[in-house]
């Protein structure tokens, strides 16, 4: 049977080319996602500034609440934890350690004639960890620095909490640009953590067992000891959080892509087998057994799949690198991570494609191998059977899954978390409808047949008769259109709805009219100066971070912890973006906190009670509740004093100051003049604050747009494959029409009417699939209908229509 399959393969190029293309693109997409997954898991960052230390010790960047279940994942800590200075002596005493060098890293922007330049500051002792050596001059003393340019004796101005401070350049080092080295006393003063080091380099004797030393060091406390290429993670502490995001994106999208590929490949191969029922009938009629037919179909599938997988490796490699570069450019992945795409992604892409082909071939062969010869001839002439019992049960199960996810989305999920169930429900609805395609095609054709017939007259009536009689076969052309329209419409409008809901949740309570921003930090004294400007009703520092409520344990936040906002104490006219319902923000000083109403009710804490929180740098604090405020579900944040929160962020800087003006005041010119006296400070309206707040949402939306776009493109391949294959199969029918007197234009007009029915049916079903997920999602996220520009939907249905007509008529 394999010899027969090989010899006859060239006579069935159309169907197998469609399968070949589907496997190539499917392999490429899954392989690209596998590369992102492997890159995220490895998270390899070449050490540079700490390369001379065989072991680098950092603080543990995760936190598990006391008394938490063993199976509970630790919360990621978003701020630098650091290594307590008192542990240096203990680390030095560890067996096998010959030396310990603490590294202080902090933001030290340089003031230049063209404006502040973001730079990193370090203590000079840490230069030995690279090692960076002096090119000229000497090591810095108090009030001195070593930099990468200039000449000894020059004066260098550094922004310290937004205020310029002068230092003398004592020497030049060969370190990369952007690094400035200070004396130990100055570094401790300028660092946010004078009692902690950012990380510690550990020196050991040659031949020492590094794993044993690392284990002894980690036993000293809440520490993480890194060696080898993992040392680079200490130089870029933000890489850990981006690593998890990269793994999550690759895993979720890779799973969806693999499912889509299996469905597309299965439908393409099944359609090819369906078009060959007459051939199988002839084989069965001359004595071919069902097992031989199955082996032939399976062999044909593998003959197509294996070279397609081999070719798919090339675009898969290029696509993986492209996706990683795009994610890095948009801040989702760290650009310092080395991109990897080894055997694991190849095995995932190739394995998924081959398994998809094998499964599709077995499913396609099941019917073809068992059918009786006479019945096969009848089926090939005019297919009437809608679907098998297996397909019916599978379709109902997927529809049931979509319904269950829709109910969970509408009743259980809250705010942005609704996307966790709404996204998978789209696939369940789409696959369920596709498996029962003949039924849904027949139903929707009843809706569109009369308008099309009224507008297209004779050719329309002929097309409607064709489509009605061939509704089972026609569903194979309708379903890919439904899949493309449903998946793309649902996913794109989920993003636009969520971005719009997040913006409204933030602006609904935004009281600030003006915002002062700086990428290099703002002086706390600037807040007092702004309050003295005529026309200013109130001003407050504005800081953001993330923390964990340890006690009580039932705080309603997700696995990433609680969003934290830091503002100054203020009255009713203050600019804080909250609507206070009980208590007051005038007492927001020291170790205090303001909670959203829902959170306060959930944990049973009112005014005057206390909670225990772990802040972003791992510091645990008891906080007294001084106020509660209204907040949209799913968008709650915990409010702390700005001074307290700033002290527990990585850079310890204030980057935004909110300003509320009086009704008749116009402090804009005065604020602009005041900002000009502080390097790097800019004045903007509230829209700048709204845009900055929505930046994370926009980034997440952009990622989904890009990934969904790839799925749409892949689904479009299925649309073209199916429609071209279906149309080519009907060449005998078209030839018969020409012999009976129909002109070429009449045949084309009939096909145009059929294409219209196919496009309308696919768009209708796709829209219903999208709405089944979008309506409960938008109700939970935004308490409204889906929001977003109408041109997105018009572009989707326009592309679907264009693909349908192009694939059919050309």
């Amino acid at each position: 049977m394999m010899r027969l399959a090989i010899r006859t393969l060239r006579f069935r190029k159309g169907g197998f080319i469609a399968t070949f293309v589907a496997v190539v693109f499917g392999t490429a997409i899954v392989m690209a996602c596998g590369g992102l997954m492997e890159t995220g898991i490895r998270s390899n960052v070449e050490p540079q500034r700490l390369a001379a230390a065989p072991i680098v010790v950092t603080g543990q960047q995760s936190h598990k609440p006391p008394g938490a279940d063993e199976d509970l994942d630790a919360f990621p800590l978003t701020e630098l934890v650091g290594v307590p200075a008192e542990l240096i002596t203990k680390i030095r005493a560890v067996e096998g350690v010959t030396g310990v060098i603490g590294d202080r890293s902090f933001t030290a922007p340089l003031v230049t004639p063209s404006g502040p330049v973001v730079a990193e500051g370090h203590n000079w002792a840490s230069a030995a960890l690279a090692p960076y050596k002096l090119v000229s001059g000497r090591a810095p003393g108090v009030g001195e620095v070593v930099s990468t340019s200039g000449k000894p004796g020059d004066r260098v101005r550094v922004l310290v909490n937004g205020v310029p401070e002068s230092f003398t350049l004592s020497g030049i080092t060969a370190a990369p640009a952007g690094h400035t080295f200070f004396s130990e006393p100055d570094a401790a003063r300028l660092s946010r953590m004078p009692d902690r080091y950012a990380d510690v380099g550990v020196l050991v004797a040659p031949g020492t067992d590094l794993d044993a030393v690392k284990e002894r060091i980690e036993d000293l406390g809440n520490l993480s000891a890194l060696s080898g290429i993992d040392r680079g993670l200490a130089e870029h502490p933000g890489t850990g959080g981006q690593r998890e995001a990269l793994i999550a994106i690759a895993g979720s999208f890779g799973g969806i892509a693999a499912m889509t590929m299996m469905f597309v490949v299965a439908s393409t191969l099944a359609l090819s087998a369906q078009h060959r029922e007459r051939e199988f009938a002839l084989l069965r009629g001359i004595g071919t057994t069902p097992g031989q037919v199955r082996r032939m179909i399976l062999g044909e599938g593998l003959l197509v799949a294996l070279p397609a997988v081999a070719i798919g490796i090339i675009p898969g490699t290029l696509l993986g690198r492209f996706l990683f570069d795009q994610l890095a450019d948009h801040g989702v992945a760290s650009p310092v991570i080395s991109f990897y795409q080894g055997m694991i992604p190849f095995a995932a892409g190739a394995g998924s494609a081959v398994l998809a082909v094998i499964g599709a071939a077995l499913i396609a062969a099941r019917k073809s191998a068992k059918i009786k010869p006479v019945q096969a001839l009848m089926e090939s002439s005019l297919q009437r059977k809608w679907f098998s019992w297996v397909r019916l049960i599978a379709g109902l199960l997927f529809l049931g899954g979509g319904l269950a996810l829709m109910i969970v989305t509408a009743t259980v999920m809250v705010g942005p978390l609704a996307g966790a169930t709404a996204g998978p429900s789209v696939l369940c609805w789409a696959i369920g409808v596709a498996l029962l395609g003949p039924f849904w095609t027949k139903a929707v054709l009843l809706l569109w047949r009369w308008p099309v017939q009224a507008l297209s007259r004779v050719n329309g009536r002929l097309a409607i008769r064709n489509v009605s009689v061939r509704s089972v076969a026609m569903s194979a052309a309708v379903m890919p259109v439904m899949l493309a329209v449903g998946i793309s419409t649902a996913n794109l409008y989920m993003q636009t709805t969520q971005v719009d809901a997040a913006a409204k949740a933030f602006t609904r309570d935004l009281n600030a009219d003006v915002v002062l921003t700086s990428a290099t930090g703002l002086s706390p004294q600037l807040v007092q100066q702004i309050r003295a400007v005529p026309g200013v009703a109130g001003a407050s520092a504005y800081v953001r971070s993330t923390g964990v409520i340890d006690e009580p344990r039932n705080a309603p936040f997700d696995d990433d912890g609680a969003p934290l906002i830091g503002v100054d104490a203020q009255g009713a006219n203050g600019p804080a973006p909250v609507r206070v319902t009980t208590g007051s923000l005038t007492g927001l000083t020291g170790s205090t906190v303001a909670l959203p109403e829902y959170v306060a009710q959930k944990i049973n804490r009112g005014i005057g009670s206390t909670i225990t929180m772990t802040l972003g740098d791992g510091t645990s604090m008891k906080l007294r509740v001084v106020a509660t405020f209204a907040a949209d579900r799913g968008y709650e944040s915990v409010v702390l004093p700005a001074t307290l929160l700033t002290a527990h962020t990585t850079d310890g800087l204030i980057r935004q100051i909110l300003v509320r003006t009086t009704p008749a005041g116009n402090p804009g010119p005065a604020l602009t003049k005041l900002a000009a006296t502080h390097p790097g400070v800019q004045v903007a309206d509230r829209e700048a604050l709204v845009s900055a707040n929505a930046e994370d949402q926009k980034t997440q939306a952009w990622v989904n747009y890009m990934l969904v776009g790839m799925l749409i493109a892949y689904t479009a391949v299925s649309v073209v494959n199916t429609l071209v294959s279906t149309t080519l199969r009907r060449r005998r029918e078209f030839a018969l029409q020409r012999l009976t007197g129909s002109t070429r234009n009449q045949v084309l007009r009939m096909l145009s009417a059929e294409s219209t029915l196919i496009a309308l049916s696919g768009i209708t079903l796709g829209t219903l699939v999208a709405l089944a997920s979008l309506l409960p999602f938008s109700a939970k996220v935004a308490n409204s209908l889906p929001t977003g520009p109408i041109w997105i939907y018009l572009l989707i249905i326009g592309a679907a229509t264009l693909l349908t007509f192009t694939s059919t008529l050309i």
Side-chain angles (χ1 to χ4, degrees):
M1 297 308 294
M2 285 299 298
R3 287 197 299 270
L4 179 62
I6 294 173
R7 290 177 180 177
T8 59
L9 190 62
R10 61 192 181 95
F11 297 105
R12 299 186 294 273
K13 294 188 291 292
F16 289 112
I17 287 175
T19 304
F20 182 87
V21 172
V23 173
V24 168
F25 281 94
T27 302
I29 293 176
V30 176
M31 184 176 174
C33 294
L36 295 180
M37 176 72 78
E38 182 180 6
T39 300
I41 293 174
R42 289 177 178 267
S43 290
N44 287 347
V45 182
E46 289 289 344
Q48 296 177 352
R49 192 172 51 81
L50 307 175
I55 298 175
V56 176
V57 181
T58 66
Q60 191 65 254
Q61 288 294 145
S62 61
H63 168 71
K64 182 173 287 189
D69 297 336
E70 288 297 327
D71 57 350
L72 177 68
D73 292 335
F75 290 90
L77 296 175
T78 57
E79 312 293 348
L80 183 65
V81 173
V83 180
E86 64 265 18
L87 290 181
I88 294 294
T89 303
K90 295 181 179 180
I91 295 174
R92 187 176 285 112
V94 169
E95 182 183 353
V97 173
T98 60
V100 176
I101 301 175
D103 168 45
R104 298 189 186 276
S105 297
F106 49 92
T107 302
L110 300 177
V111 181
T112 67
S114 58
V117 177
V118 176
E120 290 185 16
H122 308 280
N123 55 322
W124 173 244
S126 67
L129 295 174
Y132 297 137
K133 298 183 178 180
L134 286 170
V135 176
S136 62
R138 56 179 174 78
V142 176
E144 297 178 332
V145 297
V146 169
S147 187
T148 58
S149 61
K151 59 183 180 179
D154 289 348
R155 299 295 289 175
V156 176
R157 292 206 302 163
V158 178
L159 281 179
V160 180
N161 287 327
V163 179
E165 186 173 332
S166 293
F167 293 85
T168 301
L169 186 62
S170 66
I172 306 299
T173 183
H179 294 277
T180 305
F181 296 89
F182 297 78
S183 66
E184 188 66 35
D186 283 336
R189 176 175 62 87
L190 299 177
S191 172
R192 166 181 78 81
M193 306 179 296
D195 58 340
R196 297 187 187 186
Y197 290 97
D199 41 64
V200 173
V202 177
L203 307 179
V204 299
T208 302
D209 185 351
L210 294 183
D211 291 335
V213 175
K214 287 164 54 179
E215 186 175 346
R216 296 187 194 107
I217 292 174
E218 291 179 344
D219 288 340
L220 295 176
N222 194 27
L223 300 176
S224 177
L226 308 174
S227 62
I229 200 169
D230 290 340
R231 293 170 297 168
L233 297 174
E235 296 185 32
H236 306 278
T239 303
Q242 292 174 318
R243 168 188 181 178
E244 295 180 1
L246 188 60
I247 294 174
I249 290 172
S252 60
F253 179 70
I256 295 174
M259 287 184 62
T260 306
M261 178 186 69
M262 291 182 179
F263 182 79
V264 169
V265 171
S267 62
T268 304
L269 199 59
L271 182 65
S272 175
Q274 178 188 350
H275 289 175
R276 297 167 57 201
E277 293 289 358
R278 188 180 295 273
E279 175 186 333
F280 296 142
L282 178 61
L283 289 173
R284 294 283 286 116
I286 62 176
T288 305
T289 65
Q292 289 176 317
V293 174
R294 279 194 294 268
R295 288 194 296 273
M296 185 184 76
I297 295 176
L298 180 59
E300 290 173 345
L302 291 177
L303 283 174
V304 175
L306 295 179
V309 166
I311 293 176
I313 294 173
I314 300 174
T317 303
L318 300 176
L319 181 61
R321 180 80 236 190
F322 170 78
L323 290 177
F324 177 76
D325 291 341
Q326 292 300 308
L327 294 174
D329 290 343
H330 287 78
V332 179
S334 175
V336 299
I337 295 179
S338 301
F339 177 72
Y340 284 91
Q341 196 171 36
M343 290 302 298
I344 296 176
F346 167 74
S352 298
V354 173
L355 286 176
V357 171
I358 291 175
L362 292 176
I363 293 172
R366 180 178 176 273
K367 175 186 174 183
S368 301
K370 290 186 176 181
I371 197 169
K372 296 179 181 179
V374 176
Q375 184 182 357
L377 289 171
M378 295 173 58
E379 285 285 321
S380 65
S381 176
L382 183 62
Q383 187 180 2
R384 294 186 180 276
K385 187 176 180 180
W386 284 17
F387 32 68
S388 64
W389 281 105
V390 174
R391 189 168 176 177
L392 174 62
I393 293 173
L396 292 176
L397 287 176
F398 272 103
L399 291 178
L403 179 62
L405 289 171
M406 183 178 72
I407 294 173
V408 171
T409 303
T411 58
V412 178
M413 307 306 288
V414 176
L417 296 179
T421 51
S425 73
V426 179
L427 279 180
C428 286
W429 284 117
I431 295 176
V433 170
L435 288 173
L436 306 181
F439 169 78
W440 297 107
T441 302
K442 193 82 172 178
V444 78
L445 283 175
L446 294 176
L447 173 67
W448 289 112
R449 62 182 299 171
W450 304 115
V452 172
Q453 179 173 322
L455 294 175
S456 56
R457 294 179 294 184
V458 176
N459 293 311
R461 287 195 292 272
L462 181 58
I464 289 171
R465 289 177 180 268
N466 275 335
V467 171
S468 299
V469 174
R470 301 176 60 254
S471 60
V472 177
M474 192 61 63
S475 69
V478 172
M479 290 304 108
V481 179
M482 175 277 298
L483 199 66
V485 172
I487 291 178
S488 54
T489 301
N491 282 280
L492 292 179
Y493 277 103
M494 279 183 194
Q495 295 307 313
T496 57
T497 300
Q498 186 158 320
V499 170
D500 182 71
K504 288 179 178 178
F506 182 73
T507 56
R508 186 176 294 114
D509 301 324
L510 183 59
N511 298 318
D513 302 303
V514 180
V515 57
L516 278 71
T517 63
S518 174
T520 54
L522 296 163
S523 168
Q525 289 75 27
L526 183 58
V527 178
Q528 299 296 334
Q529 297 173 6
I530 292 172
R531 290 171 180 165
V533 173
V536 171
S540 170
Y542 185 70
V543 185
R544 300 185 71 93
S545 184
T546 305
V548 180
I549 297 180
D550 293 328
E551 181 62 35
R553 289 289 314 283
N554 56 335
F557 291 104
D558 61 23
D559 294 338
D560 292 330
L564 305 181
I565 293 177
V567 296
D568 295 328
Q570 54 199 272
N573 291 328
V578 294
R579 287 177 289 148
V580 176
T581 54
T582 61
S584 173
L585 296 184
T586 55
L588 193 67
T589 58
S591 299
T592 57
V593 65
L595 297 175
E597 279 186 323
Y598 175 75
V599 175
Q601 294 171 2
K602 185 73 174 178
I603 64 177
N604 194 26
R605 289 296 187 271
I607 304 300
S609 59
T610 61
I611 64 171
T612 302
M613 284 200 71
T614 295
L615 303 184
D617 65 347
T619 303
S620 180
M621 302 192 70
K622 280 191 175 295
L623 304 172
R624 181 172 53 87
V625 180
V626 296
T628 63
F629 55 91
D632 290 346
R633 289 292 309 279
Y635 299 97
E636 298 96 343
S637 297
V638 177
V639 177
L640 283 77
T643 303
L644 173 66
L645 189 57
T646 303
H648 295 279
T649 57
T650 298
D651 53 23
L653 297 177
I654 299 170
R655 299 185 185 275
Q656 292 177 323
I657 295 177
L658 307 183
V659 181
R660 186 172 185 177
T661 63
T662 59
N666 183 26
L671 291 175
T672 302
K673 184 177 180 180
L674 178 61
T677 63
H678 294 73
V681 178
Q682 298 179 341
V683 180
D685 58 16
R686 57 186 277 139
E687 292 303 319
L689 188 63
V690 174
S691 299
N693 180 76
E695 197 62 36
D696 291 341
Q697 290 288 337
K698 290 179 179 178
T699 299
Q700 180 69 25
W702 175 88
V703 172
N704 283 296
Y705 291 152
M706 180 182 68
L707 299 180
V708 169
M710 288 174 51
L711 278 183
I712 295 171
Y714 185 49
T715 310
V717 171
S718 174
V719 174
V720 174
N721 280 346
T722 303
L723 293 176
V724 169
S725 179
T726 302
T727 306
L728 289 176
R729 186 196 180 201
R730 299 174 60 194
R731 283 180 296 185
R732 290 176 179 269
E733 174 190 333
F734 301 148
L736 181 60
Q737 283 186 259
R738 295 295 306 277
L739 289 174
T740 57
S742 297
T743 66
R744 174 183 173 85
N745 288 334
Q746 287 175 321
V747 174
L748 288 176
R749 284 197 294 271
M750 181 198 71
L751 283 174
S752 297
E754 289 185 14
S755 298
T756 302
L757 285 169
I758 292 172
L760 289 174
S761 300
I763 290 170
T764 301
L765 291 173
T767 303
L768 293 175
V769 164
L771 288 176
S773 300
L774 277 175
L775 291 177
F777 172 80
S778 59
K780 299 299 290 187
V781 171
N783 294 319
S784 66
L785 294 175
T787 57
I790 188 62
W791 63 262
I792 293 179
Y793 180 69
L794 296 178
L795 182 63
I796 291 171
I797 63 175
T801 303
L802 180 63
L803 283 174
T804 303
F805 275 84
T806 303
S807 303
T808 303
L809 297 181
I810 291 181

